Amino acid sequence: MVKIDSKIPEGPVAEKWTNYKAHQKLVNPANKRRLDIIVVGTGLAGASAAASLGEMGFRVLNFCIQDSPRRAHSIAAQGGINAANNYKNDGDSVYRLFYDTVKGGDYRAREANVYRLAEVSNSIIDQCVAQGVPFAREYGGLLANRSFGGAQVSRTFYARGQTGQQLLLGAYSALSCQVAAGTVKLYTRYEMLDVVLIDGRARGIIARNLVTGKLERFAAHAVVIATGGYGNTYFLSTNAMGCNVSAAMACYRKGAWFANPAFVQIHPTCIPVHGDKQSKLTLMSESLRNDGRIWVPKKLEDAKKLQEGTLQGADIPEEDRDYYLERRYPAFGNLVPRDVASRAAKERCDKGYGVNNTGLAVFLDFSEAIGRLGIDVIRQRYGNLFAMYEEITDVNPGKVANEINGVKYYYPMMIYPAIHYTMGGIWVDYELQTSVKGLFAIGEANFSDHGANRLGASALMQGLADGYFVLPYTIQNYLSDQITVPRFTTDTPEFDEAEKSVQAKIDHLMNIKGKRSVDSIHKELGHIMWEYVGMGRTAEGLKIGLEKLKEVRKAFETDLFIPGKQDGVNVELEKAFRLNDFITMGELMAHDALSRNESCGGHFREEYQTEEGEALRDDKNYFYVGCWEYQGSDDKEPVMMKEPLEYEAIKVQTRNYKS
């Protein structure tokens, strides 16, 4: 068994990052100009990393799959970003944010990484304010905060329901500054398809120019992956359609371990599926749970009428509503973590209490909050989210629908859980370096900070923490002895072999010439993943799922049809390449879920639950990070290694959101 070195510094957890920075190796300013770094991705993690490294003096090559970094999926984040500033004076602290994050992740995250994340969180807010990010403010001018799931304090900074967009514009402005200064060279409409290793170190990438269709080579002293997660394996998710796992899978196939792939987040507040023609699902911000109350009817006959369309939600009086989260979890109520809220919604719908025609929806209602605060206050907080919901569903949650015994009832939103974020990712050590030397992974692309469930408003925090405040330090530790390595040409056998391998894959896909479209196979993959590797998993179902995934791979290999040519723009070829990686990713997720005979966070094995239906962990046998190693072929089962988790500052215990 390989002994995994996570490079966690010595000392108390609260002093590890300070000690690391005090003793790390540095690169002097003149030498920084002699070192090249490739950053793949231009979302919050990628843009902030490229901007920071460029400003430090490194020569950065930054790759963007879109036509502009402003189109990165980080723009879709709505609700906010966490930081432990304690502006509300409600008891928050770095330790409290650290504790909530570890607990929210069901004690499956690496403790040292999480503490560092909490520690640098306050600096993120200062950085973004300095960039001009228009965070909401209180009447007196101080930055405003609101609450998110899994916390009993208000620590989430926000810009209405557009926080991701505003933070991305801040990072983009910093990146643009460095592009203008000449320290960063931006390559738009390029997709990384392979990483090139020379003497066991990452030394470059093979990327496809999505406009010309040509494969191009790029060399550097280090490579940073910042390409997000793998939620689109399920086809229907809250991710943009362009989100994919191909860069991460290229690293995995070149020896980078993939950690905890089974840990996938189901977001509880998404607009329900409304047909078989959808290409993605729409997220409604978790911030809505601050003032919105989630409920289903108490009476099964009322639920049946709702499903038949003979009764509307606003017709059901207060006394006949079951606010089930408030009932089951009185201490946290509607602000329980996402995995808990999602399972509770599924349980109610499975019992027949769903409120739409499919029976797969619950209500999110603002009647009480509007009555208490007034519609103007609610619109100030959530106006654009209300408008988004109305645009999609033609229902206005800010409009009175009924009045019963003098009480006004507003149109409620309908929501249901959907695939959202992936906590698993490329394995990295404390320095954010993968198991391949010189290859780093940041943001959602790595596994390190969220355990088995991510708290809301922490994705933006991790992406910016890694890019602005962690990687700029840790990558120097690696590069400090690389200044003797001169810039090298891409005319090497390693680059030749990598490009030849990518070209062979493209030729193979183009020559299958079957009858099925990429999307039809991807939808089939998504149905299998949701059914067998989704919200509820069983050993039997996972085994069936693995067999069905083999059938999907066979269909892909024998019956795929890609129109057009490989030269120039060919979106179907792009999607086919990514679908091949989604299939491999799906198998990896199923293997990991099957190996973990416990329930924790977003991984819910139905055989392992308490009498109350809560997740039942097995800390004796599964208190580790599952690291999966590629075995040279997609047809071979991967092999798992274990990184034991060690906690010194937190007592591992059963999560409790009831008291």
Side-chain angles (χ1 to χ4, degrees):
M1 179 68 70
V2 175
K3 181 173 176 56
I4 297 175
D5 181 12
S6 54
K7 298 181 184 176
I8 298 174
E10 298 293 330
V13 69
E15 299 175 13
K16 290 183 186 296
W17 183 230
T18 300
N19 290 340
Y20 177 90
K21 290 187 291 183
H23 297 95
Q24 70 168 105
K25 297 176 182 178
L26 299 175
V27 180
N28 77 45
N31 284 335
K32 287 186 176 79
R33 295 192 293 270
R34 297 162 53 190
L35 294 169
D36 302 339
I37 303 172
I38 287 173
V39 178
V40 184
T42 54
L44 283 182
S48 60
S52 299
L53 295 170
E55 189 166 6
M56 292 167 70
F58 293 105
R59 180 175 175 268
V60 180
L61 287 70
N62 194 196
F63 291 83
C64 174
I65 198 172
Q66 303 281 6
D67 56 356
S68 167
R70 290 175 297 176
R71 291 174 61 84
H73 188 57
S74 301
I75 202 171
Q78 299 167 344
I81 177 171
N82 288 329
N85 296 69
N86 193 33
Y87 282 1
K88 290 285 190 181
N89 197 27
D90 54 2
D92 202 10
S93 64
V94 168
Y95 181 86
R96 177 70 65 176
L97 175 54
F98 157 64
Y99 173 80
D100 287 346
T101 304
V102 172
K103 177 183 176 183
D106 220 350
Y107 303 92
R108 290 294 179 266
R110 188 190 287 151
E111 186 185 58
N113 289 63
V114 179
Y115 194 92
R116 177 176 63 188
L117 175 66
E119 191 176 353
V120 305
S121 65
N122 294 344
S123 298
I124 298 172
I125 304 304
D126 295 339
Q127 170 88 359
C128 294
V129 169
Q131 291 173 338
V133 173
F135 287 121
R137 293 181 181 268
E138 303 286 4
Y139 179 77
L142 293 177
L143 297 182
N145 293 116
R146 56 189 178 198
S147 299
F148 258 61
Q152 292 179 303
V153 297
S154 295
R155 63 162 66 102
T156 304
F157 296 79
Y158 63 97
R160 296 185 74 188
Q162 305 166 346
T163 314
Q165 179 185 34
Q166 299 304 324
L167 292 173
L168 185 62
L169 288 173
Y172 174 67
S173 66
L175 176 61
S176 297
C177 180
Q178 295 309 310
V179 171
T183 62
V184 177
K185 186 169 183 180
L186 184 62
Y187 293 86
T188 58
R189 299 296 284 133
Y190 276 79
E191 181 169 17
M192 170 189 155
L193 296 180
D194 204 0
V195 60
V196 180
L197 307 186
I198 299 178
D199 296 329
R201 295 176 185 262
R203 293 301 195 192
I205 65 171
I206 304 296
R208 182 171 181 264
N209 184 319
L210 299 179
V211 176
T212 67
K214 292 182 179 179
L215 297 180
E216 298 183 26
R217 307 176 180 189
F218 301 90
H221 293 88
V223 177
V224 180
I225 304 298
T227 52
Y230 47 94
N232 272 353
T233 303
Y234 291 83
F235 188 74
L236 281 182
S237 78
T238 65
N239 290 263
M241 287 301 292
C243 295
N244 64 84
V245 74
S246 289
M249 283 290 97
C251 298
Y252 168 64
R253 293 190 180 100
K254 284 295 180 72
W257 305 330
F258 208 98
N260 296 338
F263 291 167
V264 177
Q265 181 163 84
I266 316 292
H267 198 293
T269 53
C270 295
I271 296 177
V273 176
H274 59 73
D276 60 1
K277 300 295 188 293
Q278 279 182 268
S279 59
K280 74 177 298 293
L281 297 174
T282 302
L283 171 71
M284 298 308 296
S285 170
E286 182 174 310
S287 64
L288 293 169
R289 291 198 275 151
N290 273 276
D291 291 304
R293 302 176 72 192
I294 296 174
W295 64 277
V296 294
K298 287 182 179 179
K299 301 175 182 177
L300 198 58
E301 55 266 32
D302 284 346
K304 296 298 182 187
K305 292 177 181 177
L306 289 169
Q307 293 163 19
E308 294 166 357
T310 58
L311 189 68
Q312 300 300 314
D315 298 332
I316 300 176
E318 183 74 13
E319 60 270 20
D320 291 333
R321 300 180 173 194
D322 176 19
Y323 297 97
Y324 58 88
L325 290 178
E326 299 172 33
R327 168 172 56 82
R328 290 180 60 174
Y329 308 101
F332 283 74
N334 294 293
L335 288 174
V336 292
R338 292 174 175 177
D339 61 314
V340 176
S342 294
R343 282 197 296 274
K346 181 178 185 296
E347 185 273 337
R348 287 291 81 193
C349 290
D350 287 349
K351 291 290 179 65
Y353 290 92
V355 299
N356 68 350
N357 59 340
T358 66
L360 299 176
V362 298
F363 286 130
L364 177 62
D365 200 305
F366 289 84
S367 298
E368 186 273 338
I370 294 173
R372 173 168 46 89
L373 300 171
I375 186 62
D376 290 341
V377 172
I378 296 300
R379 285 200 178 279
Q380 285 177 0
R381 294 177 179 178
Y382 313 111
N384 64 306
L385 297 171
F386 277 31
M388 183 190 304
Y389 186 84
E390 184 177 7
E391 178 73 20
I392 294 171
T393 66
D394 201 29
V395 172
N396 181 0
K399 182 178 179 181
V400 175
N402 199 0
E403 186 170 333
I404 304 175
N405 298 326
V407 178
K408 292 181 179 179
Y409 292 93
Y410 291 74
Y411 286 104
M413 293 181 178
M414 287 189 187
I415 57 170
Y416 193 69
I419 297 294
H420 179 52
Y421 186 92
T422 52
M423 285 75 64
I426 303 171
W427 181 90
V428 293
D429 59 24
Y430 188 75
E431 296 181 337
L432 304 183
Q433 187 169 203
T434 72
S435 54
V436 175
K437 287 185 178 180
L439 181 63
F440 294 77
I442 59 177
E444 191 180 356
N446 76 32
F447 87 101
S448 65
D449 290 0
H450 305 298
N453 173 66
R454 176 177 67 78
L455 292 187
S458 287
L460 305 183
M461 177 174 62
Q462 187 207 350
L464 293 179
D466 287 354
Y468 283 137
F469 299 109
V470 180
L471 183 73
Y473 287 97
T474 62
I475 200 168
Q476 290 189 78
N477 218 39
Y478 170 75
L479 292 172
S480 61
D481 64 356
Q482 296 296 298
I483 54 177
T484 58
V485 179
R487 290 195 169 100
F488 42 87
T489 176
T490 57
D491 293 328
T492 67
E494 292 85 357
F495 275 94
D496 291 343
E497 182 61 33
E499 182 177 335
K500 191 182 299 181
S501 175
V502 172
Q503 186 61 56
K505 289 180 181 178
I506 293 174
D507 292 340
H508 170 70
L509 294 175
M510 293 298 298
N511 290 325
I512 293 174
K513 299 187 184 303
K515 297 180 180 179
R516 294 189 60 181
S517 68
V518 177
D519 283 349
S520 73
I521 300 175
H522 196 173
K523 284 182 180 180
E524 182 181 349
L525 169 67
H527 284 306
I528 293 169
M529 292 300 297
W530 180 256
E531 180 69 24
Y532 300 104
V533 201
M535 285 183 69
R537 303 162 176 177
T538 65
E540 180 182 2
L542 288 165
K543 291 174 183 176
I544 294 172
L546 280 166
E547 290 302 313
K548 289 184 175 293
L549 289 174
K550 290 180 182 178
E551 296 173 10
V552 172
R553 181 175 294 284
K554 183 178 179 181
F556 177 83
E557 290 287 348
T558 61
D559 204 18
L560 176 70
F561 174 70
I562 302 175
K565 301 177 181 179
Q566 59 180 279
D567 297 332
V569 176
N570 189 333
V571 176
E572 292 302 305
L573 174 58
E574 295 171 30
K575 292 195 297 185
F577 214 102
R578 297 165 194 166
L579 177 55
N580 181 49
D581 297 322
F582 282 135
I583 296 170
T584 302
M585 189 69 236
E587 292 174 329
L588 190 56
M589 294 160 67
H591 282 301
D592 190 43
L594 187 59
S595 74
R596 194 173 281 275
N597 295 322
E598 65 163 355
S599 292
C600 57
H603 168 63
F604 192 72
R605 284 282 297 272
E606 294 177 358
E607 309 99 319
Y608 306 100
Q609 56 181 303
T610 66
E611 292 181 0
E612 294 81 23
E614 306 294 341
L616 184 62
R617 292 198 326 262
D618 181 353
D619 294 331
K620 180 179 179 182
N621 295 305
Y622 299 98
F623 194 50
Y624 61 75
V625 176
C627 307
W628 293 86
E629 185 177 43
Y630 190 66
Q631 297 303 298
S633 169
D634 289 356
D635 295 325
K636 293 183 179 179
E637 288 191 12
V639 172
M640 185 181 68
M641 299 169 291
K642 301 175 183 178
E643 177 199 340
L645 292 170
E646 298 179 6
Y647 284 7
E648 60 180 68
I650 286 182
K651 180 182 178 182
V652 179
Q653 53 193 337
T654 301
R655 286 196 302 177
N656 178 19
Y657 293 102
K658 298 182 178 181
S659 61

